[in-house]
Amino acid sequence: MFLVYLCRVGIVGSTVELRHLRYFVAVAEAENVLRAATQKLHVSQPAVSRQIRDLEDELGVQLFERTGKSVRLTDAGFLFLKEARAVLERTDGAVRSVRAFARAGETELHVGYTPALRAQIVSPALRVFQREMPKVHVKLHDWSNEKIVTGLRNGRLQVAFIVRPSKRGEFRDLRFEELLRERVRLAVPPNHAFARRRSVSLADAAQEPLLGLTREDFPDYHVYLAAIFAAVTNKPRVIEEYDSMTSVISAIEAGTGVGVAVDALGYSFGSRVNLVRLTPEPKPLSFGIATRKGKLSPAAEKFWQCAKEAARFKPPQRQDAFFRTKSSTALAKPSSSDELVV
């Protein structure tokens, strides 16, 4: 922006104040110094004229052409008007946000999340947010995707980390922003025969006892499983279901069976299970942050920004002896012709 450029090169220094910008915009819109002074700013005309002269002297640029009692913007004035309005709008927005925060007395923020992102994004975002807004207490809710969506819609949650739904249009009333994509792997115990392989076919994986999430709480998970193994003749047999991914990983570690997981779990459970590549490789899952459409509260907006920063600067993935998968990285977003559907 032109105004920002002027600041950086030293043309606009500490002597240019918001008052100068407000007076300048008022005169530019009224095209008359007296009318701007009396009808918009409610100050004396000489005071406004003096502020405009000071601003032009400080910039070293003529902003107005004087023609009798009227004034008209120069080319530089037109450019400066756009930038000045942008600065004033940002300032007014900041004031409104702070006042809204003070009136609301916002002290709690309820955040839903999926455990797959706990170490990778949730924890880093929470740490930054607590430094920025220490008086707001964040309550985390480890819920299923379906319960998180319900919580956002009924107001129990303000923001949430969530997997993009399998059906198009399911988020029509929610705001969703993708943070990263995760490759889908087969999670096996460290002493399993598959743990020594570089990859496992879907047909071979389907022959193993499969552990998964409860169908009642995680219907999208079972829809995705069915899609993964759709081309396999002998479908996998789910021998046990659990109400959280943490429980699934614990059962896999104990040798009860194998499971389908994402690379991100390596941040939390890398030393407990091996994540082995599946062939053909399933489409990656899209993870993001969601909220209800509309203006966010100051705390929710700040948490949203902290989450985006955490996604940009993810911590290095653990590389334990029992964890062979390469570091997980966010995949490039697809073009419109390659939209992710899970």
Side-chain angles (χ1 to χ4, degrees):
M1 292 178 10
F2 177 68
L3 185 55
V4 175
Y5 167 75
L6 292 176
C7 293
R8 286 176 176 170
V9 299
I11 297 176
V12 177
S14 59
T15 56
V16 174
E17 303 173 358
L18 289 176
R19 180 178 66 255
H20 292 106
L21 302 184
R22 294 191 189 281
Y23 282 23
F24 165 72
V25 171
V27 173
E29 292 176 344
E31 297 184 336
N32 183 283
V33 177
L34 179 59
R35 190 158 56 242
T38 57
Q39 298 180 9
K40 289 178 173 288
L41 300 171
H42 307 291
V43 296
S44 66
Q45 184 267 334
V48 176
S49 296
R50 184 171 59 254
Q51 294 295 331
I52 296 300
R53 284 197 304 271
D54 290 346
L55 179 60
E56 289 181 323
D57 289 343
E58 184 65 28
L59 295 177
V61 175
Q62 183 178 351
L63 300 174
F64 293 103
E65 294 177 352
R66 280 76 175 176
T67 56
K69 294 183 179 180
S70 299
V71 294
R72 186 175 62 181
L73 287 169
T74 63
D75 290 342
F78 275 111
L79 179 59
F80 194 77
L81 176 62
K82 177 183 177 181
E83 303 295 341
R85 280 172 170 164
V87 170
L88 293 175
E89 287 174 3
R90 289 286 300 275
T91 302
D92 292 342
V95 171
R96 287 194 299 270
S97 294
V98 170
R99 286 176 176 171
F101 176 77
R103 287 195 301 269
E106 197 172 11
T107 58
E108 280 189 355
L109 186 69
H110 291 263
V111 178
Y113 76 101
T114 173
L117 300 183
R118 182 180 61 80
Q120 192 174 10
I121 292 180
V122 180
S123 295
L126 182 58
R127 282 194 297 270
V128 176
F129 176 81
Q130 288 176 332
R131 287 199 302 267
E132 297 285 337
M133 304 189 78
K135 294 185 178 180
V136 179
H137 176 63
V138 177
K139 291 190 174 181
L140 296 175
H141 302 273
D142 176 2
W143 291 349
S144 68
N145 228 50
E146 289 70 22
K147 189 174 181 180
I148 285 176
V149 171
T150 300
L152 289 173
R153 286 174 174 153
N154 64 25
R156 291 184 64 188
L157 299 175
Q158 281 76 60
V159 294
F161 298 96
I162 195 169
V163 181
R164 180 180 288 178
S166 58
K167 298 177 182 177
R168 292 182 182 273
E170 194 168 334
F171 274 9
R172 59 188 178 278
D173 57 338
L174 299 177
R175 172 186 169 192
F176 175 85
E177 186 168 348
E178 183 178 90
L179 297 178
L180 74 163
R181 293 191 172 193
E182 288 293 323
R183 297 179 177 89
V184 177
R185 306 299 193 195
L186 184 69
V188 302
N191 59 355
H192 194 282
F194 288 170
R196 295 186 293 273
R197 293 192 189 180
R198 294 183 62 87
S199 64
V200 175
S201 69
L202 287 172
D204 286 347
Q207 302 306 307
E208 297 293 311
L210 191 66
L211 309 179
L213 298 166
T214 56
R215 190 177 300 272
E216 295 77 17
D217 296 323
F218 301 89
D220 269 1
Y221 173 82
H222 288 269
V223 171
Y224 186 59
L225 277 184
I228 290 176
F229 292 100
V232 176
T233 303
N234 297 317
K235 306 303 180 186
R237 180 171 57 92
V238 179
I239 62 168
E240 289 186 13
E241 295 183 354
Y242 301 87
D243 60 4
S244 73
M245 185 54 70
T246 302
S247 298
V248 173
I249 294 298
S250 296
I252 294 172
E253 181 186 18
T256 307
V258 302
V260 173
V262 292
D263 265 346
L265 288 172
Y267 285 85
S268 300
F269 306 110
S271 62
R272 297 172 55 183
V273 298
N274 274 43
L275 299 182
V276 185
R277 186 167 63 92
L278 287 165
T279 56
E281 190 168 321
K283 286 186 177 181
L285 286 176
S286 170
F287 291 87
I289 188 168
T291 186
R292 285 186 296 180
K293 288 183 177 178
K295 185 174 178 59
L296 291 175
S297 70
E301 182 65 43
K302 173 59 69 174
F303 194 89
W304 189 283
Q305 297 305 318
C306 291
K308 290 174 64 176
E309 287 300 308
R312 287 177 56 200
F313 303 103
K314 298 183 294 298
Q317 192 171 14
R318 292 181 60 182
Q319 294 294 318
D320 297 281
F322 293 124
F323 185 64
R324 297 169 182 257
T325 306
K326 295 181 180 180
S327 296
S328 172
T329 55
L331 300 182
K333 292 185 179 180
S335 64
S336 58
S337 63
D338 186 29
E339 185 67 21
L340 175 71
V341 181
V342 300

